[in-house]
């Protein structure tokens, strides 16, 4: 028919000329502002695909083989920003898409579709000329610079395919796995909320529970059990999921399953004293109060000790007693732990005692050459000022006089601040303008300091070191940072741009990684989101998620994802949430 | 942010006043025509929910309990049109949604989303005041008017719930199951395309195959095996799926998996001489030619005798030999068979020897009181004219004279045509204007006929009887027909509107079911669809699917589904198909 054939033709036309610059007016919403969509396939970028580059004498250079493990926030960010034709880039990940995790809780109740928040990786590969392999790395052989990979168990293809790959440079961006703290029964009976499939499974299961509870021949007790939803973990994910579930119960269940609504209950279990304990106290208090008003049963000081097919058992801190409650569904969201392949790798490189893989400030894995780690996979082991204090003093004391003058000091102050970010944090916290002031505050009017006094003045700064949180913000910034380093690798080899090496000669090749915090937010259901912004701002009020998403993820969230999410919202707005169990 | 909070507020507003009539301009497409969406929740319909109705003396009437099994084309259609407050309606189906099957093949390659072509049943239940239970009927106890049901195995809820239900009237609309003809290995290794999950599984599996074939360390043989897609069955579903798969290979794979494209192959196996053999020969010829041009390997006269994990074996009619070929994925689409619960029921009511459950022309199951069957579950066992010929003659021969005059005959001719639709078909085929002409053609100028001559004249008409096809068109028309009968049950009890009972007294309560064929179509991939229209029209050319969908399914396809499908097409148009394996 006319619409259909118009569509068919126009679509063919659109596809036949992908390189011309196009602007399509996709959708205007109730007379509101129009949204523009650009087609961003750019054939020029394909020149990167050329297999060999020539050196200044015209001889082909063997490209360095960079193997990237993972297509999540950090890996995808690295790949998006990498732009250096001197690398042969290979990507290995069991998941052939990037997943926009902040909207995952919204998938659990059908506000947003899973497919709308994924970005197929094949698109980026084509644009950049990179190679992708859908497989999991099961073993890293650091001494031979090899990895061993295994394909997923396919649904129609029996067995798996295994293969090895060499690398010159390995980028570990495999994220982390949910941590059950070995609590018995969790793996078997609880749901996790980490991957897209998890969100779909949760969605099915919630609908399942309502359909099951609506069947005849059940006692009131049984219906209550089936409709008891337990969320374990009061971090942002657990809190947001509880809020989304509550919205679903209030907005949809009342209409769709009116007869069983009275039997529903949400319990949120938190082992600590408060939920959202990484946030500002005002946000925690607000969230706790809101949950109480909403009728969500929030139990703090309640540690899960076991889950069976029918019951969840907790140890209550106040009474020391073990309490068991029947449930219909448990969602587990208590934090993350290292993946087995990373644990094994840590053994090989002498990090076996650590809980998490450590890198230096340039994201290089400690104790291993040519391997970098990003995102949830690793933490940055920040160098203490106190460890290097003698070296710093000596470097500044050019004449080897045993005392530092203001002038000596000024020549290294910038490098100190770059190399040891805790110094700046300390100054900020103590409202000091610069290190000179710090020395002064420790040393009075004396403008010369010896090593002891120097140590004393800086003795407190290391207290400002803290680990970066395991968030998409950190992961994506690390990916971008590392890609930019790789892009200027050759330039900075000749002309290093980093700070002075205090314990060695010359300068570091690059500036160390610095995290910029753009704020955190915790959607609390309904229209409310709590946001913690840099500079100690706290904001609670109308949902401003979208703003935050677009600020801190501006480059990674494609127009495609944005449009699909808006269109999901539109669908929900017009047709309501969907209760079909598919 | 502004868009988001506008959305939140507007959505709340929209939901707070669901009963006001609203028109929303959802989407304007590239300057094309606007599409209107109406909100159709109508609170007036809820009055049906009142539990008891009063008789003329003001006493409550016990409502008759109608149990409907199935929420597919026929069941959903019945429920949509049913509008009689004297029934207490209970629906049992393992699937809490209606599925728009004609677009299922488009889900397999991501042109349309599964969720867009389902309609949650809870919405209809609420509107109509019906009760729904998500369970499967596992046993019908016809003598006690009871059914036994079992809930689905939930994903988080262990075990199942079982319950019994009584009925006064039972409507069987459970559809059919794929028929494997007991071919060994099919259940274990092949994919079916019947349910929404099937389409999603196929989609995952196709992507799986491409990802797997792209891994290193495989021989060319292995890649060819993995990318060999075999479709078994040349009916409309098999043909359409092959065409959709071919479109995906040509339009998307070339871009996404350029390195393995050369190894792909589609084989379509058909045991008969031709594909689409229920269609007009011109369509078959066109489709076969198109498939050849497209490089789809069409093998007719090729019957599958077994499937193992790696190979599919066929017996070739021409040579009588068994041939085995390695494959990556097999999709099985060779027809349908009765579900076990129906087989068991047939045993109980003396239909154990039949292949398919039989009903009369009023859709009442033969040999069983108060049970109706619709759609793919049953076939109508049409009454032969020849069986009733004496009764017809006697009824017409009011004076018992042994001969019929034109006048006698005229008084029953309308009833004959209504009761035995084959008569009209026969007249049409032989270009006779009416039965009088038929008698004349058999009888010359003689205007009186005796029973022998009457028999002779009508001896050929039964040759025109044929079973209705197992299609959505038939199923939905039957559902609508039966609902309309139920709606006027009381009225027609008093004043029957059906034809004369030739073998009994009085009239039939209702007109028997009559099928109106609106045409069939077979999408052949690309822009092409072959359509066979009533009145012997055949049309091959630009895709006219949408036209057909809207013609023959006009009432059942909600605005929601239409809009979602259009929006899926828009997404695909703008962003291309999605290759993520989710
Ligand atoms: C529900 C939820 C909501 C969240 N919301 C927010 C939020 O609002 N804001 C925020 O800042 N953060 C949020 N986060 C946290 C954020 O998603 C993570 O910090 C971030 O994903 C970490 O990025 P990553 O690249 O380290 O790991 P991931 O994004 O997890 O990516 C890991 C990748 O490695 C792949 N992989 C796994 N194992 C292997 C292997 N053996 N070999 C090769 N590849 C492998 C995976 O398939 C995946 O592609 C949320 C997390 C969840 C689960
Ligand atoms: C891929 C595909 C494409 C098709 N395309 C077309 C087309 O383009 N045009 C056309 O006219 N026809 C088409 N058909 C055929 C059409 O879908 C069927 O003829 C139609 O669905 C039959 O309707 P039904 O109500 O009998 O059964 P279904 O629609 O199959 O519904 C059966 C219902 O019964 C439920 N059920 C099953 N077992 C039980 C049980 N034990 N107890 C209770 N409930 C049960 C099922 O969950 C389902 O809800 C297509 C079919 C397929 C598979």
């Amino acid at each position: 028919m006319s619409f259909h054939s118009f569509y068919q033709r126009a679509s063919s036309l659109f596809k036949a000329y992908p390189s011309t610059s196009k602007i399509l007016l996709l959708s205007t919403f109730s007379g509101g502002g129009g949204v523009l969509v650009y087609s961003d396939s750019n054939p020029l970028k394909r020149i990167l695909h050329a297999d060999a580059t020539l050196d200044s004498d015209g001889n082909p250079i063997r490209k360095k083989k960079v193997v990237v493990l993972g297509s999540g926030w950090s890996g995808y960010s690295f790949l998006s920003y990498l732009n250096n034709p001197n690398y042969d880039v290979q990507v290995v990940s069991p998941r052939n898409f990037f997943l926009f995790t902040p909207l995952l809780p919204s998938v659990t109740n059908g506000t947003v579709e899973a497919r709308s928040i994924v970005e197929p990786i094949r698109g980026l590969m084509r644009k950049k000329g990179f190679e992708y392999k859908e497989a999991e790395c099961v073993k890293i052989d650091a001494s031979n610079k090899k990895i061993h990979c295994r394909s997923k168990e396919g649904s129609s293809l029996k067995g798996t395919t295994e293969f090895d790959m060499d690398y010159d440079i390995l980028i570990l961006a495999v994220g982390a796995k949910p941590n059950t703290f070995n609590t018995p029964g969790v793996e078997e009976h609880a749901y996790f909320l980490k991957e897209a499939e998890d969100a779909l499974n949760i969605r099915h299961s919630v609908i399942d529970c309502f359909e099951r509870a609506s069947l005849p021949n059940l006692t009131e007790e049984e219906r209550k059990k089936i409709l008891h939803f337990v969320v374990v973990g009061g971090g942002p994910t657990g809190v947001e999921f509880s809020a989304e579930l509550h919205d679903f119960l209030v907005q949809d269940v009342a209409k769709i399953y009116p007869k069983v609504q009275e039997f529903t209950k949400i319990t949120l279990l938190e082992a600590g004293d408060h939920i959202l304990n990484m946030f500002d106290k005002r946000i925690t208090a607000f969230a706790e109060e809101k949950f109480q008003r909403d009728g969500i049963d929030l139990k703090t000081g309640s540690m899960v000790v076991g889950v069976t097919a029918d019951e969840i058992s907790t140890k209550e801190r106040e009474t020391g007693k073990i309490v068991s409650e029947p449930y219909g569904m448990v969602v587990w969201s208590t934090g993350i732990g290292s993946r087995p392949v990373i644990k094994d790798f840590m053994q090989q490189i002498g990090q076996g005692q650590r809980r998490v893989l450590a890198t230096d400030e340039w994201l290089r894995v400690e104790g291993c050459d040519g391997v970098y780690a990003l995102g949830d996979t690793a933490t940055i082991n920040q160098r203490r000022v106190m460890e290097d204090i003698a070296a710093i003093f000596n470097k500044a004391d050019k004449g080897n006089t045993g005392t530092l003058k203001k002038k000596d000091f000024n020549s290294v102050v910038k490098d100190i601040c770059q190399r040891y970010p805790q110094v700046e944090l300390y100054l900020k916290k103590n409202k000091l303008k610069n290190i000179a002031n710090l020395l002064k505050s420790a040393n009075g009017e004396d403008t010369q300091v010896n090593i002891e006094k120097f140590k004393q003045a800086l003795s407190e700064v290391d207290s400002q070191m803290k680990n970066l949180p395991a968030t998409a913000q950190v992961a994506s910034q690390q990916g971008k940072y590392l890609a930019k380093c790789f892009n200027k690798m050759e330039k900075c080899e000749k002309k290093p741009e980093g700070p002075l090496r205090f314990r060695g000669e010359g300068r570091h090749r690059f500036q160390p990684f610095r995290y910029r915090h753009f704020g955190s937010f915790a959607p609390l259901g309904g229209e409310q989101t709590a946001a913690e912004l840099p500079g100690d701002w706290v904001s609670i009020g109308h949902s401003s998620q979208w703003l935050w998403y677009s600020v801190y993820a501006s480059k990674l969230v494609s127009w495609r994802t944005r449009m699909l999410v808006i269109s999901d919202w539109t669908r929900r707005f017009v047709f309501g949430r969907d209760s079909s169990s598919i």
Side-chain angles (χ1 to χ4, degrees), chain A:
Chain A
M1 245 221 29
S2 72
F3 171 79
H4 190 66
S5 71
F6 160 75
Y7 161 75
Q8 293 269 18
R9 278 139 191 271
S11 177
S12 315
L13 202 73
F14 187 83
K15 300 230 160 91
Y17 302 95
S19 62
T20 36
S21 169
K22 274 175 268 53
I23 300 178
L24 262 189
L25 189 62
L26 180 66
S27 163
T28 59
F29 186 80
S30 286
V35 186
L36 296 178
V37 189
Y38 298 84
S39 156
D40 67 354
S41 69
N42 179 350
L44 288 179
K45 293 194 182 147
R46 304 218 188 133
I47 50 168
L48 293 182
H49 200 33
D51 260 323
T53 319
L54 303 183
D55 69 11
S56 51
D57 299 332
N59 300 320
I61 306 168
R62 189 185 86 83
K63 289 183 177 191
K64 279 205 172 157
K65 188 158 168 187
V66 177
V67 174
V68 180
L69 302 185
S71 54
W73 275 102
S74 58
Y76 198 78
S77 163
F78 175 75
L79 295 166
S80 306
Y81 286 99
L82 187 63
N83 241 331
N84 186 336
N86 295 326
Y87 294 110
D88 164 19
V89 180
Q90 309 268 341
V91 183
V92 175
S93 175
R95 156 179 117 184
N96 73 357
F97 52 84
F98 163 68
L99 173 67
F100 187 67
T101 50
L103 281 178
L104 207 50
S106 301
V107 174
T108 61
N109 67 4
T111 304
V112 165
E113 292 304 325
R115 207 180 293 281
S116 302
I117 61 165
V118 305
E119 195 70 56
I121 187 148
R122 289 274 173 193
L124 186 68
M125 298 294 101
R126 205 170 85 224
K127 220 157 70 179
K128 297 266 187 176
F130 300 160
E131 280 269 355
Y132 168 72
K133 297 182 173 61
E134 190 182 81
E136 198 179 349
C137 168
V138 288
K139 174 98 190 164
I140 300 165
D141 177 356
S143 48
N144 294 307
K145 296 205 157 199
K146 251 190 200 342
I147 57 169
H148 185 69
C149 303
R150 185 181 300 145
S151 73
K152 291 195 298 184
E153 182 82 48
S155 44
S156 77
L157 299 163
K158 310 304 173 305
T160 54
T161 298
E162 313 219 344
F163 57 93
D164 287 336
M165 282 173 79
D166 299 319
Y167 63 81
D168 297 308
I169 296 165
L170 182 65
I171 315 280
L172 302 176
V174 297
K177 69 178 184 53
N179 202 341
T180 65
F181 304 101
N182 294 322
T183 313
V186 175
E187 289 281 0
E188 298 90 305
H189 303 296
Y191 286 78
F192 299 109
L193 181 50
K194 191 93 182 64
E195 298 292 334
E197 287 89 347
D198 296 338
L200 291 174
N201 287 341
I202 288 177
R203 175 169 179 174
H204 289 177
S205 180
V206 170
I207 301 277
D208 262 9
C209 288
F210 278 98
E211 292 293 357
R212 185 71 78 89
S214 307
L215 295 181
N217 278 6
L218 295 173
T219 63
E220 195 164 300
E221 284 312 288
E222 284 170 323
R223 286 187 223 276
K224 277 188 177 158
K225 170 187 179 300
I226 294 174
L227 294 179
H228 184 203
F229 299 94
V230 181
V231 182
V232 183
T237 303
V239 165
E240 187 177 351
F241 172 69
S242 308
E244 292 274 358
L245 186 60
H246 175 261
D247 279 4
F248 180 67
L249 300 191
V250 170
Q251 293 167 17
D252 300 69
V253 166
K255 275 184 281 170
I256 314 175
Y257 304 96
K259 299 208 172 159
V260 296
Q261 197 200 1
E262 57 176 315
F263 304 117
T264 59
K265 181 176 156 192
I266 304 175
T267 301
L268 176 57
L269 300 175
E270 163 61 47
D273 287 331
H274 290 286
I275 58 171
L276 296 179
N277 56 29
M278 67 294 291
F279 279 81
D280 187 282
K281 282 205 184 61
R282 285 164 287 179
I283 289 181
T284 298
F286 178 83
E288 290 180 352
E289 217 172 87
K290 175 167 190 307
F291 275 18
Q292 203 153 22
R293 252 180 301 140
D294 285 350
I296 294 175
D297 189 12
L298 172 62
K299 285 197 182 143
T300 54
S302 191
M303 198 169 79
V304 177
V305 294
V307 184
T308 68
D310 295 299
E311 287 192 331
I312 181 162
S313 304
T314 50
K315 184 169 180 162
E316 302 300 320
R317 206 184 27 226
E318 261 178 33
T319 59
K321 290 222 180 86
I322 305 270
V323 181
S324 293
E325 264 208 274
Y327 73 87
M329 186 180 167
V330 169
V331 174
W332 190 268
S333 164
T334 58
I336 54 176
S338 294
R339 293 192 189 274
V341 63
I342 298 296
K343 284 236 161 106
D344 172 86
F345 172 65
M346 286 164 71
Q347 291 286 354
Q348 291 176 45
I349 59 168
Q351 289 201 23
Q353 298 310 310
R354 291 187 52 95
R355 216 177 45 80
V356 188
L357 182 68
T359 69
D360 64 16
E361 291 89 339
W362 290 268
L363 309 182
R364 296 175 299 201
V365 170
E366 291 189 345
C368 182
D369 220 41
V371 183
Y372 296 78
L374 312 172
D376 290 359
T377 312
T379 51
I380 296 177
N381 200 358
Q382 263 174 52
R383 187 88 194 161
R384 296 176 175 276
V385 171
M386 279 305 120
E387 275 178 85
D388 294 345
I389 194 82
I392 298 171
F393 190 89
N394 288 341
K395 200 94 202 194
D397 181 18
K398 291 208 187 73
N400 253 332
T401 60
T403 55
L404 288 189
K405 302 207 186 63
K406 201 167 168 210
K407 176 176 85 83
D408 297 332
F409 193 73
N410 278 345
S411 71
V412 295
V413 66
K414 201 170 133 222
D415 294 296
I416 293 177
C417 288
Q418 281 174 357
R419 181 66 187 84
Y420 308 95
Q422 61 265 48
V423 174
E424 275 196 346
L425 287 176
Y426 184 81
L427 295 177
K428 212 179 198 172
K429 187 161 172 236
N430 291 286
K431 304 205 166 63
L432 295 165
K433 240 174 67 192
N434 52 37
I435 300 196
N437 285 3
L438 174 63
L439 292 178
K440 226 189 246 165
S441 79
N443 218 25
E445 285 309 302
D446 200 346
T447 53
Q448 293 197 4
V449 290
N450 63 14
I451 177 92
E452 284 314 314
K453 288 199 174 143
F454 189 62
K455 258 190 196 163
Q456 199 191 325
L458 290 167
S459 62
E460 295 288 312
V461 295
D462 287 332
S463 66
Q464 288 308 306
M465 296 192 329
K466 57 179 172 200
N467 282 338
L468 297 178
T471 63
Q473 286 191 63
V474 172
S476 66
Q477 288 182 32
Q478 290 185 340
K480 179 174 177 178
Y481 161 81
L482 195 64
K484 295 206 154 171
C485 291
F486 274 61
N487 291 344
K488 55 193 173 190
M489 190 63 86
E490 296 79 9
K491 195 182 120 207
C492 291
E493 232 159 60
K494 289 180 198 136
K495 197 166 167 292
E497 61 173 35
L500 267 183
R501 290 181 196 270
F502 289 108
R503 285 166 305 148
E505 288 311 305
R507 299 194 149 265
H508 289 279
R509 194 179 297 177
F510 303 111
Q511 293 291 345
F513 172 72
R514 274 288 179 94
Y515 173 57
R516 277 191 62 197
H517 187 61
F518 286 117
S520 322
F521 64 96
L524 302 174
E527 295 194 30
Q528 281 172 318
T529 289
E532 194 176 330
L533 315 189
D536 200 30
W537 283 85
V538 165
S539 136
I540 294 165
H542 287 295
S543 213
S544 44
Q545 279 155 277
W546 192 244
L547 173 69
W548 286 107
Y549 296 156
S550 41
V551 169
Y552 75 63
S554 55
K555 281 277 171 60
L556 285 201
V557 184
S558 65
W559 277 106
R560 181 178 161 281
T561 293
R562 290 172 203 212
M563 292 313 311
L564 295 189
V565 168
I566 290 185
S567 116
D568 285 340
W569 283 348
T570 312
R571 287 171 176 218
R572 203 204 103 195
F573 175 77
V574 178
F575 302 110
R577 285 195 196 90
D578 173 4
S579 66
S580 52
S581 55
I582 163 125

